[in-house]
């Protein structure tokens, strides 16, 4: 008897939370694995999202723990207190749309005003900061007056890691004094090619000078810490969004930490990132842009875990929208084209998803001919309130009402819930009476319209003529007629816990690390290529383990190789993605490491890659250095047509002469036709499809 260990004490408890526009979902999971065991959902709870997001999350977690107390394992061993469970939780993982909503809704009261310092010397000024932001959003995030929000200074590197010019300390000190006089409190520092290996030194040096002149209260975002890869404008845009969100994120993280502390949790908590991996709360305060669009990714990962389907379409039907994505080998398919957030181009990893205005709370309206329109407006979190859906004694006809009124089998769980609520309130038959006034013909028209919207969504997302498996998750999955399989669909798959798949995906989040390296082969030597790739793969694995992943669970995805054209020899850019389960025993070290990585002014910071993955240039120890090409134009030379400064680097291969000329002609032509204040933004988006990525870095 002395060796007996109660079952509940053997649980390896994780909590996952997903905050949506309508509902907040929470799950408590036993994460034990091995001997054929898989993590299991012990308890779950769905609650309407509150206007105060933090209190809603705390209430949802508390209700989930309360439900767990009703399990036989808890009853058998006398577990009667929520505190007994919360003290044994190993981690809490939260996915929230709070940050992206502030950007999309242009909440000027939540966003900080940002000033940008671009280190580019005399080049890279053709497309200034903020030019890609919609006017309304720019007013919310750009320091005013706008003329004082943009500064240029010497610095930056070439594509081969050679400095374009050294940082002028006195120049930056003068700029810093001007910022201080203007009352600037939030700054983004971006340098040309700062994501190449050991090319972040100029950003770090400039940040140290700014902090020294303006003071310790200055908030600074360095572009190389926010987004890897190449593309100066996109990386700068991401850094601006990040800096504007930092005060809101710091406030939110502190509120989450306080709420969890009040519930008795003594474990670390994480936010889920855009790519489905985890970021610690302490690190998220400084890099909120990495965690502001994780909802679709959590749904896809949760759908894969629950159904074990590795390839197919995942549709998360919520209360306001339906988000669809494609799962490949158990991971979300990443967007291969340009990624835009709130109309702004960014270069961080995002899942390839599509959203439509269809959810359980979507408004349903009819024209004079009886044709139905569903969405995009929704009652949102007011679904069960007085001005919500008919089935909750509200005043608005919604998609959920149509699901109940249609009498379809897939609506049975909701119908049973409504009947129980009516019986509890003593209002039996009220729902049926309200729905009867709609009319059978209109109900059928609305139901068919919903099915057409779902079918069209599947056709767009799957991207082929093959029949695909469709996984339905989210509380709004009752809106889909699973008894009638449309063309192009092999089968519909659901799960008893599919209504909280997004929270499951958050709870089972992993540690990820992206490694980018460049290498050169003198004569396309296959053996040397394999040696380089083996070294890079081992480095990705090692860095993922250092970031907090359990070594035995680390999997490597890649390599993804890109031939760097318009350059002599055989030069490649390679990307590896390493991912593994969280090593719970290393979590304390993980948080200390995160805090250290965020120290922008540490002495050896130039030699440290970001936790999101290092980016190595051709000047890295593993790769052969490329000699700088002979300069084509002096830094001060204008392009003769229109006296517009060259959008090319001052040290560019001569192969660019024709491209440079055509670019200038296109620029002048667009200006003459008055198509845009900054037509190069359009031109760059076209040229990026076929030109080498390093050329776009220096505009």
């Amino acid at each position: 008897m002395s060796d007996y260990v109660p079952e509940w004490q053997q649980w390896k408890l994780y909590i996952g939370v997903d905050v949506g526009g309508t509902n907040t979902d929470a799950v408590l999971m036993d994460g034990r694995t091995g001997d054929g065991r898989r993590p299991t959902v012990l308890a779950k709870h769905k609650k309407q999202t509150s206007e105060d997001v933090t209190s809603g999350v705390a209430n949802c977690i508390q209700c989930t723990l309360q439900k767990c107390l009703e399990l036989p394992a808890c009853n058998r061993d006398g577990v009667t207190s929520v505190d007994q469970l919360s003290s044994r939780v190993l981690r809490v993982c939260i996915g929230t749309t709070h940050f992206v909503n502030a950007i999309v809704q242009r909440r000027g009261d939540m966003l900080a005003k940002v000033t940008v310092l671009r280190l580019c010397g005399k080049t890279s000024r053709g497309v200034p900061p903020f030019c890609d932001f919609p006017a309304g959003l720019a007013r919310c995030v750009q320091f005013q007056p706008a003329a004082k929000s943009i500064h240029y200074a010497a610095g930056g590197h070439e594509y081969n890691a050679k400095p374009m010019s050294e940082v002028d300390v006195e120049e930056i000190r003068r700029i810093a004094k001007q910022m201080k006089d203007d009352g600037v409190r939030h700054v983004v520092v971006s340098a040309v090619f700062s994501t190449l290996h050991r090319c972040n030194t100029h950003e770090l040096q400039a940040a140290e000078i700014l902090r020294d002149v303006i003071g310790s209260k200055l908030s600074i975002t360095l572009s190389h810490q926010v987004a890897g890869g190449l593309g100066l404008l996109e990386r700068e845009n991401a850094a601006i969004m990040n800096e504007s969100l930092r005060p809101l994120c710091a406030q939110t993280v502190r509120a989450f930490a306080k709420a969890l502390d009040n519930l008795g949790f003594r474990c670390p908590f994480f936010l889920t990132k855009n790519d489905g991996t985890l970021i610690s709360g302490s690190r998220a305060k400084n890099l909120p842009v990495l965690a502001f669009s994780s909802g679709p990714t959590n749904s896809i990962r949760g759908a894969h875990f629950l159904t074990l389907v590795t390839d197919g379409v995942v549709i998360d039907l919520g209360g306001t929208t339906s988000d669809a994505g494609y799962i490949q080998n158990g991971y979300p398919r990443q967007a291969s084209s340009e990624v835009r957030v709130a109309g702004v181009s960014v270069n961080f990893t995002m899942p390839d998803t599509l959203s439509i205005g269809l959810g359980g709370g979507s408004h349903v309206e009819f024209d004079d001919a009886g044709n139905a329109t569903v969405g995009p407006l929704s009652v949102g979190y007011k679904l069960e309130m007085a001005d919500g859906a008919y089935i909750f004694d509200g005043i608005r006809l919604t998609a959920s009402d149509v699901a109940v009124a249609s009498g379809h089998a897939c609506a049975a769980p909701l119908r049973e819930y409504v009947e129980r609520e009516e019986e509890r309130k003593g209002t039996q038959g009220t729902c049926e009476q309200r729905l009867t006034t709609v009319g059978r013909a209109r109900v059928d028209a609305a139901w068919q319209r919903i099915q057409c919207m779902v079918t069209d969504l599947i056709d767009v997302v799957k991207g082929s003529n093959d029949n695909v498996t469709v996984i339905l998750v989210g509380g709004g999955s009752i809106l889909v007629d699973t008894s009638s399989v449309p063309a192009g669909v092999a089968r519909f798959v659901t799960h008893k816990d599919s209504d909280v798949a997004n929270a499951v995906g958050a709870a089972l989040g992993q540690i990820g690390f992206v490694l980018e390296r460049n290498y050169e082969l003198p004569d396309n030597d296959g053996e040397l290529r394999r040696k380089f790739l083996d070294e890079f793969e081992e480095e990705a694995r090692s860095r993922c383990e250092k970031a907090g992943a359990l070594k035995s669970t680390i999997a490597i995805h890649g390599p993804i190789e890109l031939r760097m054209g318009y350059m002599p020899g055989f030069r490649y850019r390679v990307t590896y993605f390493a991912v593994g389960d969280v090593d719970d025993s290393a979590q304390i070290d993980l948080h200390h490491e995160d805090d250290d990585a965020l120290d922008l002014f540490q002495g050896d910071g130039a030699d440290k890659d970001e936790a999101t993955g290092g980016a190595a240039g051709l000047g890295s120890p593993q790769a052969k250095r490329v000699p700088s090409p002979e300069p084509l134009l002096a830094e001060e030379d204008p392009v003769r047509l229109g006296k517009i400064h060259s959008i090319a680097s001052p040290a560019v291969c001569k192969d660019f002469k024709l491209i440079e000329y055509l670019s200038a002609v296109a620029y002048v032509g667009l200006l003459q036709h008055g198509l845009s204040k900054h037509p190069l933004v359009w031109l760059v988006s076209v040229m990026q499809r076929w030109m080498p990525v390093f050329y776009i870095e220096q505009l």
Side-chain angles (χ1 to χ4, degrees):
M1 291 295 294
S2 59
D3 295 333
Y4 172 72
V5 178
E7 182 181 354
W8 72 276
Q9 293 186 7
Q10 301 177 39
W11 289 338
K12 193 175 182 179
L13 298 179
Y14 305 141
I15 287 181
V17 182
D18 186 88
V19 184
T22 303
N23 296 308
T24 296
D25 303 331
V27 295
L28 178 66
M29 301 192 67
D30 176 10
R32 288 179 295 172
T33 58
D35 298 328
R37 183 194 299 271
R38 299 179 71 239
T40 56
V41 176
L42 297 175
K44 61 182 180 180
H45 187 74
K46 183 183 292 286
K47 192 177 183 66
Q48 290 177 334
T49 298
S50 61
E51 293 189 28
D52 176 10
V53 174
T54 307
S55 63
V57 169
N59 291 336
C60 198
I61 291 176
Q62 190 167 24
C63 291
T64 304
L65 294 175
Q66 196 67 42
K67 288 183 177 180
C68 185
L69 294 178
E70 302 172 4
L71 295 178
C74 292
N75 291 331
R76 182 173 57 248
D77 295 310
V79 181
T80 58
S81 170
V82 167
D83 292 339
Q84 291 176 272
L85 295 176
S86 60
S87 63
R88 301 190 62 84
V89 174
L90 296 175
R91 64 175 180 262
V92 178
C93 306
I94 302 174
T96 177
T97 59
H98 196 44
F99 310 135
V100 72
N101 287 345
I103 292 288
V104 173
Q105 297 173 8
R106 303 178 182 179
R107 295 291 302 273
D109 56 325
M110 294 183 176
L111 301 174
K113 302 296 188 293
V114 178
T115 295
V116 176
L117 171 60
R118 182 186 289 180
L119 306 178
C120 58
K122 299 292 184 179
T123 65
S124 306
R125 302 188 182 192
V127 180
F130 299 104
C131 69
D132 195 30
F133 281 68
L137 181 57
R139 285 192 295 269
C140 295
V141 302
Q142 187 174 8
F143 184 80
Q144 299 297 326
K148 296 185 178 182
S149 67
I150 300 174
H151 300 273
Y152 301 102
H157 290 76
E158 298 286 356
Y159 67 89
N160 57 5
K162 178 182 177 181
M164 294 169 54
S165 59
E166 295 298 336
V167 172
D168 186 334
V169 175
E170 290 305 316
E171 179 184 26
I172 294 182
R173 292 188 72 87
R174 287 196 300 271
I175 293 174
K177 290 178 181 178
Q178 181 181 342
M179 289 182 180
K180 185 176 182 179
D181 293 341
D182 293 338
V184 172
R185 290 293 176 265
H186 297 272
V187 176
V188 164
V189 179
S190 62
V192 176
F193 284 117
S194 62
T195 55
L196 296 183
H197 189 50
R198 302 187 181 184
C199 289
N200 57 4
T201 52
H202 287 183
E203 288 189 0
L204 290 164
Q205 185 180 357
E208 187 174 1
I209 297 171
L210 291 173
R211 181 64 62 85
D212 180 60
V213 173
I214 299 177
S216 59
K217 292 185 178 181
L218 179 67
S219 176
I220 304 176
T221 292
L222 307 185
S223 71
H224 75 270
Q225 292 185 323
V226 172
L230 301 178
L232 174 63
L233 185 63
E234 293 84 354
R235 185 174 73 250
E236 195 173 66
N237 289 344
I240 291 171
M241 286 188 176
N242 185 81
E243 183 60 33
S244 68
L245 286 168
R246 284 184 68 176
L248 173 63
C249 186
Q251 177 184 356
T252 303
V253 168
R254 284 195 298 268
F256 279 150
K258 182 178 180 181
L260 295 175
D261 186 66
N262 291 338
L263 289 174
F265 291 101
R266 297 297 179 265
C267 61
F269 85 92
F270 299 84
L271 296 182
T272 55
K273 292 166 56 179
N274 306 325
D275 60 5
T277 57
L278 300 175
I279 182 171
S280 67
S282 59
R283 184 172 174 79
K285 288 191 296 185
N286 294 275
L287 296 171
V289 76
L290 299 183
F292 75 177
S293 185
S294 60
T297 308
N298 290 340
S299 298
I300 294 174
R301 294 288 293 140
H304 164 64
F305 170 79
L306 293 173
T307 65
L308 298 180
V309 174
T310 57
D311 294 272
V313 174
V314 177
I315 303 180
D316 181 6
L317 296 104
T320 304
T321 62
S322 293
D323 303 318
Y326 198 89
I327 187 170
Q328 291 179 320
N329 298 320
Y331 288 89
R333 181 175 64 192
Q334 299 300 308
S336 58
S337 58
E338 181 184 29
V339 175
R340 300 185 73 87
V341 176
V344 181
S345 297
V346 293
N347 70 340
F348 46 76
T349 304
M350 295 282 282
D352 185 9
T353 59
L354 179 64
S355 299
I356 62 173
L358 171 65
S362 295
H363 293 184
V364 178
E365 298 177 347
F366 302 92
D367 60 19
D368 294 337
N371 299 315
T373 300
V374 181
L377 296 179
S378 171
V379 297
Y381 65 87
K382 297 180 180 180
L383 183 68
E384 301 182 22
M385 298 182 182
D387 50 353
Y390 279 6
I391 56 177
F392 297 106
D393 203 24
I395 60 174
R396 174 69 65 176
L397 180 66
T398 67
S400 294
D401 299 322
V402 172
V404 173
S406 68
H408 200 272
C410 67
L414 182 57
R415 176 183 289 278
E416 293 171 2
Y417 173 75
V418 172
E419 290 174 351
R420 289 198 303 270
E421 287 295 297
E422 288 182 341
E423 182 177 357
R424 183 176 65 83
K425 296 177 181 179
T427 58
Q428 291 91 332
T430 303
C431 171
E432 293 292 343
Q433 293 170 8
R434 284 178 174 271
L435 294 177
T436 300
T437 63
V438 178
R440 174 54 55 186
R442 290 193 170 190
V443 168
D444 291 343
W447 182 252
Q448 290 303 317
R449 177 57 187 155
I450 292 172
Q451 306 315 305
C452 288
M453 294 174 69
V454 172
T455 301
D456 292 344
L457 182 61
I458 295 171
D459 288 339
V460 173
V461 171
K462 71 175 186 176
S464 70
N465 293 327
D466 299 333
N467 291 343
V468 297
T469 298
V470 177
I471 309 172
L472 300 175
V473 299
S477 58
I478 60 168
L479 301 179
V480 181
D481 183 0
T482 57
S483 64
S484 177
V485 180
V489 176
R491 58 173 177 151
F492 286 112
V493 178
T494 59
H495 188 274
K496 65 182 180 66
D497 295 320
S498 63
D499 57 328
V500 291
N502 43 14
V504 171
L508 298 177
Q510 299 173 296
I511 297 295
F513 189 91
V514 179
L515 181 77
E516 295 180 283
R517 290 287 184 261
N518 294 349
Y519 69 94
E520 178 193 8
L521 299 177
D523 55 0
N524 209 19
D525 187 336
E527 184 175 346
L528 182 59
R529 171 181 174 274
R530 174 43 54 189
K531 179 181 178 181
F532 278 138
L533 296 182
D534 288 344
E535 290 179 359
F536 298 155
E537 180 176 337
E538 183 56 34
E539 182 180 2
R541 191 182 302 275
S542 173
R543 287 183 174 272
C544 187
E545 181 183 2
K546 184 180 178 182
L550 188 62
K551 183 176 181 179
S552 61
T553 66
I554 296 175
I556 301 293
H557 302 272
I560 301 174
E561 290 185 89
L562 174 65
R563 173 77 180 273
M564 299 178 69
Y566 297 94
M567 294 179 63
F570 300 91
R571 295 170 175 83
Y572 299 86
R573 186 170 182 84
V574 60
T575 302
Y576 282 94
F577 182 61
V579 62
D581 296 338
V582 179
D583 185 355
D584 295 311
S585 63
Q587 284 188 6
I588 295 179
D589 294 335
L590 170 65
H591 281 280
H592 285 309
E593 181 181 338
D594 280 344
D595 292 338
D596 291 341
L598 288 170
D599 185 355
L600 305 182
F601 314 112
Q602 54 189 337
D604 60 346
D607 293 330
K608 290 190 177 183
D609 294 315
E610 310 84 83
T612 53
L618 295 174
S620 62
Q622 301 94 336
K624 185 177 179 181
R625 193 177 188 87
V626 180
S628 177
E630 183 178 337
L632 178 64
L633 293 172
E635 289 186 349
E636 295 81 6
D637 286 343
V639 177
R640 293 180 179 178
L641 290 173
K643 294 185 178 181
I644 300 169
H645 283 286
S646 168
I647 67 170
S649 162
V652 178
C653 301
K654 293 183 178 181
D655 293 345
F656 287 149
K657 181 181 280 289
L658 177 60
I659 296 174
E660 182 184 29
Y661 174 80
L662 294 176
S663 300
V665 172
Y667 192 165
V668 175
L670 288 169
L671 283 177
Q672 289 175 343
H673 287 83
L675 296 182
S676 172
K677 181 180 179 181
H678 295 292
L680 269 181
V681 175
W682 171 85
L683 179 63
V684 166
S685 66
V686 175
M687 296 173 73
Q688 276 183 312
R689 300 289 184 252
W690 55 278
M691 288 184 62
V693 289
F694 60 82
Y695 183 65
I696 303 302
E697 179 81 13
Q698 294 180 316
L699 293 175

